């Protein structure tokens, strides 16, 4: 029994090992057989791998006992309280707050400002680029906040997801036609970078929790989909931003 | 930089990312919901695990994977490697010369997505909610395959210089057609998996690859053509997850038909 207990304690570690093996195999294969070079700093690589392994195992354990139960219990509490305004405000702040400080987003808007300066959309001065980057970052954060609000409204109303998302894609395609060329790549990529590692578990738990505590909603059909909104709306908002600033 | 310094720095940037979320959660808990959280200490411990885990994870990646991966991406896209020794600049682009680049994009897309923490989270939830009908590992494999195919196609696009717009529109049309036929239950999950694939592990390596390609090929601008790989990595998983559900339903139907025929023979 002790052994079994020990094994369940270490299960996240074994799974983390399984998850990381492919990366190691790919790197070793390309380094040894394609580029035909030795692996530099073997020791540094090994310590790094151990850290990644421990980190992943801790993260998964933390999800199980922390983020998932919290997201779900808050969703249940909101459903019981029945106040739509507070729920929507919460949804907006969750989306906005998690995006505005996201490091990947900060990197992308910095690049975007460079492109805009090169393309002559804005002046090539530090101040102009900073203000462009900041307003783009705010635009994306606003779009993610709006996206979570829309996604939560969808769960409450039971709208079918595919109509919302496919409709959204139509808007994206039409806007691509009108948007300036420099902004298109950034707009498409911004949809992918907004959803950070801590937001995703929380938002997923919120959606599934809401769908399972509202009568007539199915957690599989209605609970998922919040992240889809959060990757769609930034594209629309960023292209709109591009059209308006051009 | 010493390990401890690096750890503190990574911890700090993770914290900066988390503080707004924590404020929103605590604020609503105290002001609006005014309800005790069950097992509050356990939840807090979980939060600390997530923070520590992410910081360790990112630090390990910085240490072990990113530097080497970026050097590899640069070497693989180097004209001297692709077109043979002594070639420093490319006269005319031959897309066939880039086979190893596509292969690397495929392999690294697959491998990094399998280790993506947010996808692990969604997989866990999907398995739990579906009562095991969807396996976490199967879902993650399907998503990773989608990213792999998408990213290698994205590299092909940068090499040939075709319009990003064209690819994305065709991909959306395929998604719409699949949505009409795929099992209803999988659709929200499939749409979600487009957004979770690209965060911590995948983006830096893809960015290095895209920039390397765009910088060495004449007529491409790293600033404009380097973007777009992430878009590929977000659309293709939608297709592959729906495809995974369609294939498993088809296999299930065939198996059932097979066993009912056997049952018929037994009669």
């Amino acid at each position: 029994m002790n052994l079994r207990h020990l094994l369940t304690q270490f299960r996240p570690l074994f799974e983390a090992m399984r998850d990381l093996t492919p990366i190691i195999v790919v790197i070793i294969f390309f380094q040894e057989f394609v580029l035909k070079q030795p692996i530099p700093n073997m020791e540094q690589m090994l310590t790094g791998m151990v850290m990644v392994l421990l980190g992943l195992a801790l993260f998964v354990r933390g999800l199980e006992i922390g983020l998932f139960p919290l997201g779900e219990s808050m969703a249940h509490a909101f459903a019981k309280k029945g106040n739509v305004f507070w729920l929507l405000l919460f949804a907006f702040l969750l989306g906005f707050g998690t995006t505005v400080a996201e490091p990947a987003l900060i990197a992308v808007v910095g690049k975007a400002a460079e492109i805009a300066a090169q393309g002559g959309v804005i002046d090539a001065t530090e101040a102009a680029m900073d203000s462009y980057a900041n307003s783009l970052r705010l635009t994306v954060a606003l779009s993610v906040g709006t996206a979570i609000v829309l996604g939560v409204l969808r769960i409450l109303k039971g709208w079918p997801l595919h109509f919302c998302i496919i409709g959204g894609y139509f808007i994206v395609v039409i806007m691509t036609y009108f948007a300036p060329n420099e902004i298109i790549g950034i707009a498409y990529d911004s949809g992918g970078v907004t959803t950070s590692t801590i937001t995703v578990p929380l938002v997923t738990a919120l959606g599934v929790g809401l769908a399972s505590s509202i009568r007539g909603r199915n957690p599989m059909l209605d609970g998922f989909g919040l992240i889809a909104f959060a990757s769609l709306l930034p594209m629309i908002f960023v292209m709109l931003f591009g059209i308006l600033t051009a | 930089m010493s390990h401890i310094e690096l750890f503190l720095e990574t911890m700090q940037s993770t914290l900066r990312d988390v503080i707004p979320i924590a404020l929103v959660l605590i604020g609503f808990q105290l002001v609006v919901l005014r309800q005790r959280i069950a097992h509050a200490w356990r939840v807090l411990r979980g939060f600390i695990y997530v923070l520590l885990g992410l910081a360790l994870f990112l630090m390990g990646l910085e240490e072990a994977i990113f530097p080497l991966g970026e050097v590899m991406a640069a070497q693989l896209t180097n004209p001297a490697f692709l077109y043979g020794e002594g070639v420093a600049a490319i006269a005319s682009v031959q897309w066939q010369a880039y086979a190893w680049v596509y292969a690397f994009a495929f392999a690294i897309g697959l491998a990094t997505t399998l280790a993506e923490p947010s996808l692990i989270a969604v997989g866990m939830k999907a398995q739990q909610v579906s009562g095991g009908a969807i396996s976490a590992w199967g879902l993650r494999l399907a998503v990773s395959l989608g990213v792999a195919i998408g990213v290698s196609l994205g590299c092909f696009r940068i090499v040939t210089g075709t319009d990003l717009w064209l690819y994305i529109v065709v991909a959306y049309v395929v998604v719409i057609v699949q949505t009409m036929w795929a099992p209803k239950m999988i659709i929200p999950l499939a749409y979600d998996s487009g957004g979770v694939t690209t965060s911590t592990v995948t983006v830096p390596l893809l960015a290095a690859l895209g920039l390397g390609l765009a910088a060495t090929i004449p007529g491409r601008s790293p600033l404009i053509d380097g973007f777009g790989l992430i878009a590929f990595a977000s659309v293709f998983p939608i297709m592959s997850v729906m495809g995974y559900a369609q294939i498993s339903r088809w296999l299930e139907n065939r198996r059932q038909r097979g066993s009912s025929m056997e049952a018929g023979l037994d009669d």
Side-chain angles (χ1 to χ4, degrees):
Chain A
M1 186 233 131
N2 259 332
L3 185 70
R4 173 171 291 177
H5 182 69
L6 207 66
L7 277 180
T8 48
Q9 283 294 306
F10 281 100
R11 190 180 47 89
L13 211 55
F14 290 130
E15 285 178 357
M17 244 179 254
R18 177 196 64 186
D19 296 341
L20 287 175
T21 315
I23 300 189
I24 301 174
V25 171
V26 168
I27 287 196
I28 291 179
F29 173 80
F30 274 86
Q31 192 74 359
E32 293 280 331
F33 297 101
V34 181
L35 295 166
K36 299 200 178 72
Q37 276 160 359
I39 306 250
N41 282 329
M42 202 56 181
E43 200 184 319
Q44 192 190 359
M45 175 113 182
L46 280 177
T47 48
M49 275 335 263
V50 171
M51 284 191 264
V52 171
L53 203 72
L54 285 176
L56 206 54
L58 262 179
F59 173 79
V60 168
R61 188 78 192 116
L63 282 186
E64 284 171 342
I65 66 171
L67 253 51
F68 279 160
L70 182 68
E72 255 163 61
S73 81
M74 288 187 87
H76 290 307
F78 272 119
K80 212 170 70 187
K81 201 169 168 59
N83 187 325
V84 176
F85 170 76
W86 284 122
L87 174 61
L88 293 183
L89 186 68
F90 175 73
F92 180 82
L93 288 177
L94 197 64
F96 184 87
T98 52
T99 313
V100 83
E102 166 73 27
L105 178 64
I106 295 174
V108 167
V109 296
K111 286 243 175 63
E114 268 178 62
I115 296 178
Q118 274 191 353
V121 179
I122 53 169
D123 295 331
T125 58
E126 191 89 1
M129 276 161 72
D130 272 353
S131 95
Y132 184 87
N134 277 334
S135 29
L136 190 57
R137 189 153 64 102
L138 270 183
T139 308
V140 175
L142 265 178
S143 72
V144 176
T146 315
I148 308 286
V149 168
L150 278 179
V152 166
L153 259 181
R154 178 194 81 87
I155 297 176
L156 297 181
K157 301 280 180 196
W159 300 328
L161 179 71
H162 55 275
F163 285 129
C164 307
I165 300 297
I166 290 176
Y169 280 155
F170 267 115
I171 298 177
V172 168
V173 170
I174 292 168
M175 287 184 79
T176 310
Y177 184 76
F178 293 102
N181 259 332
E182 300 84 14
I183 205 83
I184 293 174
I186 300 160
Y188 283 0
D189 274 4
S190 68
V193 295
T194 48
T195 40
S196 82
T197 316
I198 298 169
T199 327
V200 167
L202 267 178
V203 162
T204 308
L206 177 75
V208 169
L210 274 178
S212 49
S213 45
I214 297 173
R215 195 170 306 149
R217 298 286 173 273
N218 175 315
M220 220 33 222
L221 271 180
D222 303 298
F224 291 98
L226 284 179
I227 297 163
F229 275 95
S231 19
L232 175 70
L233 250 63
M235 294 197 246
I236 298 177
F237 275 51
V238 170
M239 280 199 267
L240 196 66
F241 177 85
I243 292 173
L244 292 179
T245 49
Chain B
M1 206 190 298
S2 78
H3 280 184
I4 297 171
E5 255 176 80
L6 188 65
F7 179 75
L8 286 179
E9 198 175 282
T10 321
M11 198 66 203
Q12 205 187 348
S13 73
T14 319
L15 264 179
R16 205 182 318 138
D17 203 16
V18 168
I19 282 173
I21 312 176
L23 284 181
V24 171
L25 293 177
I26 295 170
F28 271 84
Q29 197 68 44
L30 290 182
V31 179
V32 180
L33 296 174
R34 277 186 241 139
Q35 196 186 36
R36 276 196 55 236
I37 306 173
H39 313 291
W41 287 115
R42 206 172 123 97
V43 168
L44 188 67
R45 194 153 52 95
F47 237 91
I48 293 170
Y49 281 179
V50 165
L51 267 180
L52 273 178
L54 268 185
L56 265 178
F57 183 75
L58 289 175
M59 193 176 142
L61 287 178
E62 288 291 344
E63 191 96 331
I65 312 269
F66 289 161
L68 188 57
E70 279 158 19
V71 170
M72 288 169 75
Q75 284 175 337
L76 279 170
T77 51
N78 191 347
F81 170 78
L82 292 164
Y83 292 89
E85 290 297 327
V87 180
I90 304 164
S92 66
V93 179
Q94 299 161 294
W95 64 267
Q96 299 92 335
Y98 289 82
W100 278 123
V101 173
Y102 311 139
F104 181 70
F106 185 93
I108 209 79
L110 187 81
T112 52
T113 308
L114 278 176
E116 198 64 78
S118 29
L119 180 59
I120 295 180
V122 170
M124 281 164 72
K125 212 68 220 163
Q127 178 164 358
Q128 181 207 335
V129 171
S130 69
I134 293 166
S135 87
W137 182 245
L139 178 74
R140 286 166 56 198
L141 209 60
V143 173
S144 306
L145 265 176
V147 173
I149 295 169
V151 171
S152 44
L153 198 65
C155 286
F156 173 76
R157 181 196 78 86
I158 298 180
V159 170
T160 53
T162 23
D163 258 344
L164 172 64
W165 193 64
L166 209 68
Y167 284 84
I168 299 291
V169 170
V170 171
Y172 283 165
V173 170
V174 174
V175 167
I176 292 171
V177 171
Q178 264 185 305
T179 305
M180 295 193 285
W181 301 103
K184 284 269 170 303
M185 285 291 168
I186 201 75
I187 291 171
L189 197 59
Y191 286 177
D192 265 5
S193 42
V196 296
T197 49
T198 44
S199 41
T200 346
V201 203
T202 323
V203 170
L205 287 179
L206 287 188
L209 199 62
L211 286 179
L213 275 179
T216 50
I217 297 174
R220 306 282 179 282
S221 138
L223 283 175
I224 292 178
D225 297 294
F227 283 98
L229 271 185
I230 298 171
F232 276 86
S234 322
V235 182
F236 276 76
I238 306 181
M239 297 183 208
S240 63
V241 170
M242 284 198 275
Y244 159 74
Q246 286 170 305
I247 290 170
S248 40
R249 183 176 60 178
W250 182 73
L251 287 176
E252 180 70 15
N253 282 345
R254 218 174 66 146
R255 206 168 50 91
Q256 265 174 6
R257 218 174 299 138
S259 60
S260 65
M261 265 170 69
E262 268 169 44
L265 285 178
D266 279 348
D267 275 350

